């Protein structure tokens, strides 16, 4: 981490209008990377410096940047603040590029889409077949013996538990819950989703 701090200090010394940071934390372990990343962000803010930060780490990009540009196949496909990019991606490709995402098939009727999860509120009006994007952390699961949806996989990661659910129509979705949830594999669960949600029209 000290090497990155020294390099940044040298780069800032002549008061440049723009600094290029190309994968500056790639050789650091995860714990140190977060600490140094926060320090670099604080230094840049304190100095009033503008930096162009290049990274393949989506979490890193979302946490350090004020504006994020997503490049896919050599093309800039969306430029937006991190929260907007994550919650309202411009395409399905961007949605999966910046984080885990479920896509639930549905039939849209204006601002609502009918799906195996019931009616889902949409951010924008659509009509016809769509795929509704649902981030894993937007899902809540509760035990319900009458539900047609079922837990088929469970993985404990310490800070959270990730469940794979098969819906009544066979669609598989992933949910990320707080670690105190303990739903067994095979359990039938009610699935609720926090919206409104982004939908992508199916290609014709």
């Amino acid at each position: 981490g000290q090497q990155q701090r020294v390099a940044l200090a040298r780069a800032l010394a002549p008061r440049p209008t723009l600094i290029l940071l190309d994968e500056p934390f790639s050789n650091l372990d995860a714990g140190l990377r977060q600490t140094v990343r926060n320090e670099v962000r604080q230094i840049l803010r304190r100095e009033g410096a503008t930096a162009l930060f290049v990274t393949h780490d989506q979490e890193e990009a979302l946490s350090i940047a004020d504006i994020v540009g997503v490049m896919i196949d050599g093309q800039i496909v969306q430029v937006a603040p991190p929260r907007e990019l994550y919650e309202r991606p411009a395409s399905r490709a961007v949605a999966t590029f910046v984080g885990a995402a479920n896509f639930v098939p549905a039939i849209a009727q204006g601002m609502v889409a009918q799906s195996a999860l019931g009616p889902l509120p949409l951010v924008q009006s659509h009509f016809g077949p769509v795929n509704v994007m649902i981030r894993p952390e937007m899902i809540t699961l509760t035990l319900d013996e009458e539900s047609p949806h079922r837990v088929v996989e469970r993985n404990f990661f310490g800070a959270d538990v990730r469940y794979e659910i098969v819906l009544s129509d066979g669609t598989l979705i992933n949910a990320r819950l707080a670690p105190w949830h303990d739903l067994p594999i095979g359990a039938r669960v009610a699935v609720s989703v926090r919206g409104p949600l982004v939908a992508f029209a199916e290609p014709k």
Side-chain angles (χ1 to χ4, degrees), residues 5 13 18 28 36 49 68 104 107 133 162 184 195:
R5 296 183 188 96
L18 180 67
L28 302 178
V36 175
V68 179
V104 174
I107 302 297
M133 185 197 78
R162 301 178 195 181

Side-chain angles (χ1 to χ4, degrees), residues 154-171:
R154 176 184 186 276
N155 297 105
F156 180 73
F157 288 91
D160 57 33
V161 187
R162 301 178 195 181
Y163 292 94
E164 188 172 285
I165 313 299
V166 61
L167 303 183
S168 58
D169 65 353
T171 300

Side-chain angles (χ1 to χ4, degrees), residues 36-53:
V36 175
R37 185 170 67 209
N38 291 341
E39 290 179 1
V40 167
R41 183 177 173 87
Q42 291 168 9
I43 291 169
L44 291 171
R45 281 180 168 171
R46 185 173 65 243
E47 297 296 323
T50 299
L52 179 61
F53 187 89

Side-chain angles (χ1 to χ4, degrees), residues 20-191:
L20 173 63
L21 300 174
D22 190 356
E23 301 278 4
F25 314 128
S26 59
N27 62 338
L28 302 178
D29 63 57
L32 184 58
R33 186 184 302 131
Q34 182 171 349
T35 299
V36 175
R37 185 170 67 209
N38 291 341
E39 290 179 1
V40 167
R41 183 177 173 87
Q42 291 168 9
I43 291 169
L44 291 171
R45 281 180 168 171
R46 185 173 65 243
E47 297 296 323
T50 299
L52 179 61
F53 187 89
V54 180
T55 180
H56 288 83
D57 186 321
Q58 292 90 337
E59 182 179 290
E60 200 163 80
L62 294 175
S63 65
I64 199 171
D66 297 308
I67 299 291
V68 179
V70 176
M71 178 178 285
I72 299 177
D73 295 331
Q75 300 290 323
I76 298 291
V77 293
Q78 187 174 357
V79 178
R83 189 183 190 96
E84 179 182 333
L85 188 73
Y86 186 77
E87 295 182 350
R88 299 193 178 187
S91 67
R92 182 166 175 158
V94 174
T96 55
F97 191 81
V98 299
N102 300 295
F103 296 95
V104 174
I107 302 297
Q109 301 168 333
M111 299 297 291
V112 177
Q114 298 295 333
S115 72
L117 293 172
L120 299 173
L122 302 179
V123 169
Q124 290 183 315
S125 179
H126 289 270
F127 291 90
V130 295
N131 287 293
V132 180
M133 185 197 78
I134 304 173
R135 298 287 186 192
E137 65 274 11
M138 300 169 75
I139 296 172
T140 300
L141 305 175
T142 52
L143 286 171
D144 182 352
E145 293 183 359
E146 302 300 318
S147 173
H149 316 309
R150 184 167 48 87
V151 175
V152 294
E153 189 57 82
R154 176 184 186 276
N155 297 105
F156 180 73
F157 288 91
D160 57 33
V161 187
R162 301 178 195 181
Y163 292 94
E164 188 172 285
I165 313 299
V166 61
L167 303 183
S168 58
D169 65 353
T171 300
L172 288 172
I173 63 170
N174 290 285
R176 185 161 63 231
L177 276 63
W180 53 81
H181 289 86
D182 189 18
L183 302 171
I185 293 175
R188 295 197 173 273
V189 290
V191 181

